[in-house]
Amino acid sequence: MRTNLRMAGLALAAFATAWGGLSKAAEVPKSAEVQQTGTLAVANTLDYAPFEYLDANGKQTGIIIEMAGEVAKLVGAKLDVQRTPFPSMIPGLAAGRFKIAWETFSATPERLKQVDFVMFLKAGLAVSTSPDKKASFTGDTPLCGKRISVSAGSASDFLVDKLGKECTDKGQAAIEKSVFNSSTDIVQAVLSDRVDARMDDATASSYFEVTSKGQLVVLPTLYDVAPLGLAIAKDDKGTADMMVAALAELFKSGAYKTVLEKYGMGAYAIKEPYFVNSMDALRAD
């Protein structure tokens, strides 16, 4: 019996070694700054729910804040969220004022001249409607013949025009677009049945579904999907390696999915985090 237990223990040890050990979190590399200070410092605006905001008690919370907290645990560091205006973030990274700006950045050629990114999310445009109308949006062209509200001059405004032309080119009914100047007016137009649905930023739409307790529900199709990421200083390999490895652990443990679904953002998960230092590195997922 003891021999069998010893052999089983050796086999388990060999298995653990082959797969990188039983505590992969311990293998997340720390950047030089985290090693020296014991602190994971993150620049963040703290004013864009559901990603980051102050709750009723003044506590920092939201998707990014919770994920940053999990990363800090993985590297054995204290989290320090430094409230920073969004326009100051990329210049601040380039000037060396901080190492990580954790927001939902889109990677653009202009930004990539100054910073690199670690992608951890995707987003786009989505359509939301009242629960009783959801079943009427079917097929490959669910918006054809529908009354859709948009914000003036937004990406949705232009996309609805494009989709409407595709409808008529296929011989289907055109989209009837209604343009509003505020998101409140757009939502009220749907709730009062003046339009059938709204098209807006997907993350904002999903958050409204959660906070309104389902007054409007988001349809499954995402339009103009693009990856989103946190920003780090150009060629800062230590910080990049730490963040990619730490986020990979959150993906594998299920913590990533749990946080997103808590805020109604499960549809915007990506397969794995990845590093981007050029437009060629962006992925379609």
Side-chain angles (χ1 to χ4, degrees):
M1 176 68 76
R2 289 183 179 180
T3 301
N4 289 340
L5 287 173
R6 180 174 181 274
M7 292 178 66
L10 290 172
L12 179 59
F15 176 84
T17 300
W19 288 92
L22 296 177
S23 57
K24 293 285 287 182
E27 297 179 13
V28 174
K30 298 180 183 180
S31 67
E33 182 181 60
V34 169
Q35 287 179 335
Q36 293 166 7
T37 66
T39 298
L40 179 70
V42 174
N44 182 272
T45 64
L46 284 174
D47 66 356
Y48 186 49
F51 296 104
E52 63 269 347
Y53 60 98
L54 300 177
D55 66 15
N57 298 316
K59 180 183 177 182
Q60 298 173 350
T61 191
I63 292 172
I64 288 173
I65 303 303
E66 291 195 29
M67 286 189 185
E70 294 297 322
V71 170
K73 291 177 186 177
L74 285 173
V75 296
K78 176 184 176 181
L79 177 63
D80 177 20
V81 179
Q82 302 173 354
R83 193 166 193 171
T84 308
F86 188 83
S88 300
M89 289 187 171
I90 289 181
L93 284 168
R97 290 197 291 271
F98 39 80
K99 299 290 186 180
I100 301 168
W102 200 335
E103 286 289 347
T104 51
F105 288 102
S106 298
T108 65
E110 294 75 18
R111 287 173 174 171
L112 284 165
K113 292 176 183 177
Q114 301 179 72
V115 300
D116 294 329
F117 296 97
V118 176
M119 313 315 284
F120 69 98
L121 200 67
K122 66 182 178 184
L125 301 175
V127 174
S128 50
T129 188
S130 55
D132 60 304
K133 289 184 178 180
K134 182 178 180 180
S136 69
F137 289 82
T138 60
D140 296 333
T141 54
L143 305 187
C144 295
K146 300 295 187 182
R147 300 170 298 165
I148 307 297
S149 62
V150 298
S151 178
S154 67
S156 299
D157 191 353
F158 300 110
L159 179 60
V160 166
D161 288 341
K162 176 183 175 184
L163 294 174
K165 185 177 185 305
E166 292 176 1
C167 290
T168 55
D169 286 348
K170 294 177 180 178
Q172 299 182 33
I175 297 173
E176 183 180 329
K177 183 179 75 171
S178 295
V179 181
F180 295 87
N181 290 320
S182 76
S183 58
T184 300
D185 290 341
I186 293 172
V187 169
Q188 286 303 317
V190 184
L191 294 177
S192 61
D193 195 33
R194 285 180 286 152
V195 298
D196 298 310
R198 68 186 280 223
M199 178 181 280
D200 202 350
D201 177 79
T203 54
S205 299
S206 292
Y207 188 57
F208 182 80
E209 179 176 346
V210 173
T211 56
S212 71
K213 302 188 186 316
Q215 289 186 64
L216 296 183
V217 293
V218 179
L219 301 180
T221 302
L222 283 178
Y223 302 89
D224 287 356
V225 178
L228 302 173
L230 61 91
I232 58 177
K234 202 71 182 171
D235 300 323
D236 183 353
K237 186 176 186 303
T239 300
D241 289 347
M242 176 181 69
M243 295 308 297
V244 171
L247 283 168
E249 286 298 319
L250 299 189
F251 277 57
K252 286 185 280 187
S253 71
Y256 169 77
K257 182 178 179 181
T258 297
V259 171
L260 288 182
E261 291 184 346
K262 174 181 176 180
Y263 293 91
M265 299 291 164
Y268 313 120
I270 61 174
K271 296 177 182 177
E272 61 181 359
Y274 62 97
F275 176 71
V276 170
N277 62 356
S278 70
M279 294 300 291
D280 293 337
L282 287 174
R283 303 179 188 175
D285 62 7

